Amino acid sequence: MSSRVLHLVSRLQPGGRGQTLWPTVLALADAGVAQSLVLMDTRDLPQARLMQPASVRLVEVGPGRAGLPAIRRAAVDLRGELAAGSPLAVHLHGLSAGLLGRHVLRGSSVQAPLFFHLDHDTLAARLVRGLDRSAFLVQRDRVEALDTAGRPHTAGLSAPIDEVYFDTARDEADTPLIVTTGQPDDLACAQTFVQLAVMLTGLRPTLTFGWIGDASPAVLQMLQAAQIRLLRGQDAHDRARALSRAWLYVAPDLGGGDGQGMAEAMAAGVPCLGRPVATHRALIVHALSGYLCNRNNDLLAAIARLVEAESLRHAMGQAARTRARHRHGRHRFRASMRLAHGLAPMAGLHRELVGTV
């Protein structure tokens, strides 16, 4: 998994592009993430050289100050950076960068998530409409996932995830265990999971599959026919224990109705694989905390990749747990509730948050 982040930057404003460029660059540099900056205007070179950390690479720019020639040059530079290796993420700072980056990346084989640094939600809504990848809006006070219609995600959970998921230590099974959750009588979900298990028959090492929760007689018969284990899931402790043993969580529901189960799996530190639907996009950052797969072949390839690469699986699981804590952890929920009512965060809350990131 690449660890490089690519920035495409419109004409700089005082304090950086919308006052989110340098905070983002510095935060990623502190985390040890490699970064490259592509400037759309050569007049910004002196400021960029002054502000950039030593670990950040400034892409050398050719002649041309503004106008169409500069846009063409920036497009060439961006394509060159993408050809050098798929980045972890692409940050587009400003409207011009958003338009150019969207044009270059739309339909590209590079599936890195896009982060739009814009002051206006409506502009972000227009830019992300029809995109085939995860997209996020970055503003000075927030980072929000966007759906393909350009709206901030409303799908997902509004309440915190039980802390037992965050507190349960990972204890992977001896053989690869792929799990999912589903409603007891959800025949469509069970059938999709069974089909996945059949398609992966014969893979080495041999995979095992588990269904967390109850199952109606019809669903149980279907699962047993495919040798899928029924794992206890009566309460949060049961589900957390089952998830602690899992290598991967796969969401078979093509409609994205299993947001609760996926969020719990991420909180338990399990890499998750889903589809590019609103619920899953709100939870998974593609290639960072899981994979969003359009086709079954992509899903099978992602499963094989994670089963074979222990270090990648563990890193992705940790990233999933961190993202779940940010979105659904008790500390974040309590803090956001207090701030929404004009109250300062609780005294120990900042230390708790910092200690978990």
Side-chain angles (χ1 to χ4, degrees):
M1 180 170 61
S2 172
S3 60
R4 181 176 62 105
V5 168
L6 179 59
H7 301 267
L8 179 65
V9 187
S10 302
R11 184 76 169 101
L12 287 177
Q13 298 172 345
R17 182 76 242 174
Q19 299 185 16
T20 60
L21 170 60
W22 300 123
T24 299
V25 168
L26 291 171
L28 293 172
D30 286 344
V33 177
Q35 301 173 78
S36 298
L37 248 65
V38 176
L39 300 178
M40 294 185 65
D41 197 310
T42 58
R43 291 172 291 181
D44 294 326
L45 277 170
Q47 181 181 347
R49 287 176 177 144
L50 179 66
M51 295 294 295
Q52 73 181 79
S55 61
V56 176
R57 185 174 70 90
L58 185 60
V59 177
E60 292 297 326
V61 296
R65 296 183 62 186
L68 189 57
I71 293 175
R72 288 173 175 165
R73 173 193 51 75
V76 170
D77 292 338
L78 179 58
R79 289 191 177 97
E81 289 297 309
L82 294 172
S86 181
L88 190 69
V90 177
H91 286 251
L92 304 172
H93 301 265
L95 179 57
S96 297
L99 290 167
L100 181 60
R102 184 184 188 278
H103 172 72
V104 171
L105 281 156
R106 188 173 186 182
S108 167
S109 60
V110 175
Q111 287 298 307
L114 298 182
F115 290 78
F116 292 92
H117 294 247
L118 296 167
D119 295 331
H120 302 288
D121 295 25
T122 53
L123 292 177
R126 294 175 182 174
L127 285 175
V128 304
R129 190 170 292 126
L131 279 177
D132 57 352
R133 68 196 68 233
S134 297
F136 299 83
L137 172 64
V138 181
Q139 297 184 330
R140 281 175 287 179
D141 59 343
R142 60 193 171 108
V143 178
E144 281 190 296
L146 298 167
D147 67 18
T148 53
R151 299 182 301 269
H153 274 304
T154 56
L157 311 175
S158 59
I161 295 292
D162 195 302
E163 285 292 303
V164 68
Y165 294 100
F166 298 106
D167 295 339
T168 301
R170 300 286 296 130
D171 182 26
E172 285 188 344
D174 294 335
T175 57
L177 173 61
I178 299 173
V179 302
T180 195
T181 56
Q183 296 302 315
D185 56 352
D186 193 340
L187 286 169
C189 179
Q191 184 176 21
T192 305
F193 196 54
V194 165
Q195 289 172 348
L196 178 67
V198 172
M199 285 189 289
L200 289 167
T201 299
L203 188 69
R204 294 290 181 268
T206 302
L207 307 181
T208 56
F209 294 82
W211 174 283
I212 300 175
D214 293 331
S216 67
V219 168
L220 182 60
Q221 182 179 13
M222 190 180 298
L223 298 176
Q224 289 177 337
Q227 298 184 334
I228 295 173
R229 296 161 53 193
L230 192 66
L231 304 176
R232 183 177 174 86
Q234 296 297 316
D235 54 30
H237 287 83
D238 287 341
R239 294 192 295 275
R241 177 57 184 162
L243 288 167
S244 74
R245 303 285 289 164
W247 287 38
L248 306 174
Y249 179 95
V250 176
D253 182 1
L254 300 179
D258 57 342
Q260 178 76 27
M262 180 178 284
E264 291 174 354
M266 292 177 67
V270 184
C272 293
L273 293 86
R275 301 292 186 172
V277 296
T279 304
H280 297 169
R281 285 183 186 274
L283 295 167
I284 294 175
V285 180
H286 179 73
L288 298 179
S289 53
Y291 287 112
L292 297 170
C293 305
N294 282 301
R295 303 174 304 170
N296 283 337
N297 286 343
D298 297 331
L299 185 64
L300 297 176
I303 291 173
R305 187 181 309 126
L306 286 168
V307 166
E308 294 170 0
E310 181 180 5
S311 59
L312 173 61
R313 189 171 68 251
H314 290 174
M316 192 168 281
Q318 184 57 49
R321 175 170 267 176
T322 300
R323 178 161 173 76
R325 185 173 285 281
H326 271 284
R327 288 181 56 84
H328 305 300
R330 180 180 59 193
H331 63 286
R332 178 55 59 106
F333 183 78
R334 291 163 63 196
S336 62
M337 285 297 291
R338 291 178 66 88
L339 290 171
H341 289 80
L343 303 172
M346 298 174 65
L349 211 51
H350 176 70
R351 291 191 298 274
E352 180 186 347
L353 188 146
V354 170
T356 59
V357 174

